[in-house]
Amino acid sequence: NSDGTCTANITNNLSNRNKVINGSMICSQRGSSFANLTDHYCLDRYKFRNNNGVSGTFTVSHSTDTPDEFGNSLKVAVGTADSTLDAGVSFHISTRIEGQNLQSLAKGTSSAKKSVLSFYVKTNKTGTYAVMLYDVDNNRQFSTTYTVSNTNWNRYTIDVPADTTGAFDNDNGRSLDIYWYLGAGSNFTSGTLASSWQTYATASEAVGQVNFADSTSNEFYITGIQYEVNESGVATDFEHRSHGEELARCQRYFYRIGGQSRTYQVVGNGFVGQNGGTKCAKIIVNFPTTMRDRPTLSVIGTDAFKGDTGGAASAMDCTATANTGGMWNDASSTDIAWVDFGRTGGGSPANGTAVVVYTTGAQGEVAFSAEL
């Protein structure tokens, strides 16, 4: 203007608006393909559940089939078809969100705000698909549907109403689940969809849901998931985050060492024990980011670990203790852990620095999980 002022219409300028982690499916620390899943995490922050023994089997994979501006998606493929679903059957993809990350919704107050869920889906099984938001803290739900009418990549938007009943807990616990259904029996579809939040009812979870499992040729892809506080009902552009930033967010819930195609990898630094020659090493693992809670330990390929006591990487064979006794028992430990590795063969323990490594053939892995 002539007086030196300027009026601008600036859109999509808000950072950190996406409540969902790894919405672009860029991170998959656990691997690239997951077969015969029943109730397991696959790509980071996403769980696939095959509830009550669907006779069909599924494979989830980290795919590069994507819409423009994305590099990865989550793919579900049918291995064994199930054309007639039993009443108690359901299968879906889900993600979970901490309560302290949802406070801007002001849920449960007179200032409660509307929100928008958006995502990209591609599938050759057209029809009606159900989505449910489940308030874990107050046992409330909002369920709705979207219609897939072609086999292209499309962005779908769910306008989520405000809810003045039931506040989310302001802590690091599980407060909100988001479910994308792929199939459900009559126990989950015989109710009614509601235009507002309501007390949870099983029968209203997935009303109208198509049976994705009816053919082994069926494939389902999803990416670009965004959940944001938004009064307009119109989704903003997807908030792309760098791989490094997204990985750090994922490692708050899951962190793994090993399991990759390398000859050796340092698992941790520590010392060789003196417990009657049975200890190979007690290592210290510093987590790359503070984990959500004290993690649990799991070990894969235990025969792959070696103790290094002065450069001899193959001096001792080790096996990690895959239970709570194998970790530092300080309940407040979300930044660091001790892990015991017992000697199963090879050289004798000695004083000095030790690292634990793995060989390519067996690919041992130590994983820490603080999932919701």
Side-chain angles (χ1 to χ4, degrees), residues 296-336:
T296 57
L297 170 70
S298 62
V299 181
I300 300 173
T302 56
D303 59 345
F305 298 100
K306 302 287 184 179
D308 184 339
T309 57
S314 60
M316 290 180 291
D317 296 324
C318 307
T319 181
T321 306
N323 54 49
T324 55
M327 287 185 62
W328 188 22
N329 60 4
D330 183 347
S332 65
S333 176
T334 56
D335 298 297
I336 190 172

Side-chain angles (χ1 to χ4, degrees), residues 53-356:
V54 180
S55 61
T57 58
F58 307 91
T59 296
V60 176
S61 58
H62 197 202
S63 174
T64 56
D65 188 331
T66 64
D68 293 343
E69 300 183 12
F70 291 88
N72 295 101
S73 65
L74 183 155
K75 174 186 176 182
V76 182
V78 179
T80 303
D82 187 350
S83 58
T84 304
L85 299 180
D86 292 339
V89 157
S90 70
F91 44 102
H92 50 69
I93 302 160
S94 68
T95 190
R96 298 172 175 180
I97 306 175
E98 295 178 45
Q100 61 191 359
N101 295 334
L102 297 165
Q103 297 304 302
S104 59
L105 285 162
K107 190 174 182 298
T109 74
S110 59
S111 302
K113 293 181 171 55
K114 293 171 62 178
S115 52
V116 171
L117 174 67
S118 56
F119 47 90
Y120 293 81
V121 159
K122 172 185 173 181
T123 178
N124 60 336
K125 178 64 176 178
T126 58
T128 299
Y129 286 79
V131 175
M132 180 178 73
L133 281 72
Y134 175 60
D135 172 0
V136 179
D137 294 325
N138 303 286
N139 195 35
R140 291 174 64 76
Q141 73 184 138
F142 170 73
S143 356
T144 188
T145 61
Y146 62 100
T147 301
V148 177
S149 58
N150 59 53
T151 59
N152 303 322
W153 277 106
N154 295 288
R155 193 183 196 193
Y156 300 91
T157 298
I158 306 297
D159 188 9
V160 183
D163 187 15
T164 57
T165 301
F168 289 127
D169 294 343
N170 186 22
D171 58 21
N172 66 343
R174 171 187 171 192
S175 284
L176 180 68
D177 295 354
I178 305 175
Y179 297 88
W180 291 265
Y181 285 87
L182 296 176
S186 59
N187 287 358
F188 304 92
T189 61
S190 58
T192 57
L193 296 175
S195 58
S196 60
W197 286 85
Q198 63 182 15
T199 300
Y200 170 76
T202 302
S204 299
E205 282 192 19
V207 178
Q209 173 64 46
V210 71
N211 179 17
F212 169 76
D214 64 0
S215 171
T216 56
S217 65
N218 291 344
E219 297 178 339
F220 180 92
Y221 301 82
I222 187 169
T223 193
I225 297 173
Q226 182 157 284
Y227 180 58
E228 58 186 306
V229 178
N230 189 327
E231 295 284 346
S232 72
V234 179
T236 63
D237 292 347
F238 181 79
E239 180 187 352
H240 288 277
R241 295 190 283 251
S242 71
H243 184 276
E245 183 180 0
E246 207 72 88
L247 178 61
R249 292 173 186 243
C250 293
Q251 287 176 333
R252 173 172 170 78
Y253 303 89
F254 181 81
Y255 173 56
R256 66 181 285 187
I257 311 169
Q260 302 172 33
S261 297
R262 302 178 187 173
T263 302
Y264 296 112
Q265 182 175 350
V266 175
V267 174
N269 295 313
F271 57 87
V272 175
Q274 299 294 308
N275 186 11
T278 61
K279 291 292 184 184
C280 178
K282 181 184 288 290
I283 66 168
I284 303 170
V285 176
N286 292 285
F287 304 137
T289 188
T290 299
M291 301 198 75
R292 182 192 65 85
D293 201 353
R294 180 178 182 265
T296 57
L297 170 70
S298 62
V299 181
I300 300 173
T302 56
D303 59 345
F305 298 100
K306 302 287 184 179
D308 184 339
T309 57
S314 60
M316 290 180 291
D317 296 324
C318 307
T319 181
T321 306
N323 54 49
T324 55
M327 287 185 62
W328 188 22
N329 60 4
D330 183 347
S332 65
S333 176
T334 56
D335 298 297
I336 190 172
W338 294 95
V339 182
D340 287 334
F341 282 78
R343 183 175 69 88
T344 58
S348 299
N351 290 323
T353 300
V355 297
V356 178

